[in-house]
Amino acid sequence: QKRTRQDSKHGRLIRDHQALGILVHLFVRHHKLADGKGAPFVYCGQVDFATWEGEQPIAVQWSLRESVPERLRGSLKVPDAT
């Protein structure tokens, strides 16, 4: 959200989600539209707060609990781990 600040109630909720027992799940899509309709989202798994930067808006970096499934790596253009 563009108005969220790190020290706001919502900012603290993002940062402290694990301690509060809130699960966060990541869904992604390549394009907003597909064949003139809303493109489908792909479920990638649960994430945990890693870090953030900025204010209004804040940019949050999440950490996936498990690696992206092999069957999705190509379509999501996930680089090979080195």
Side-chain angles (χ1 to χ4, degrees):
Q1 296 178 351
K2 292 183 179 183
R3 293 177 283 162
T4 301
R5 297 181 54 85
Q6 292 181 14
D7 63 354
S8 70
K9 181 179 179 181
H10 192 238
R12 290 188 302 273
L13 183 78
I14 291 169
R15 181 194 62 209
D16 301 333
H17 74 94
Q18 283 182 283
L20 297 170
I22 298 169
L23 301 177
V24 180
H25 300 265
L26 177 64
F27 293 82
V28 299
R29 63 182 176 182
H30 284 289
H31 305 284
K32 190 172 186 175
L33 298 174
D35 299 324
K37 298 178 183 179
F41 284 87
V42 176
Y43 179 68
C44 293
Q46 286 187 26
V47 293
D48 295 314
F49 174 82
T51 188
W52 55 15
E53 61 183 44
E55 292 284 355
Q56 292 183 301
I58 55 175
V60 179
Q61 184 174 13
W62 300 96
S63 175
L64 279 167
R65 287 188 177 184
E66 297 182 20
S67 297
V68 174
E70 192 64 39
R71 64 183 174 77
L72 298 175
R73 294 181 74 79
S75 65
L76 295 177
K77 299 181 178 151
V78 176
D80 291 331
T82 56

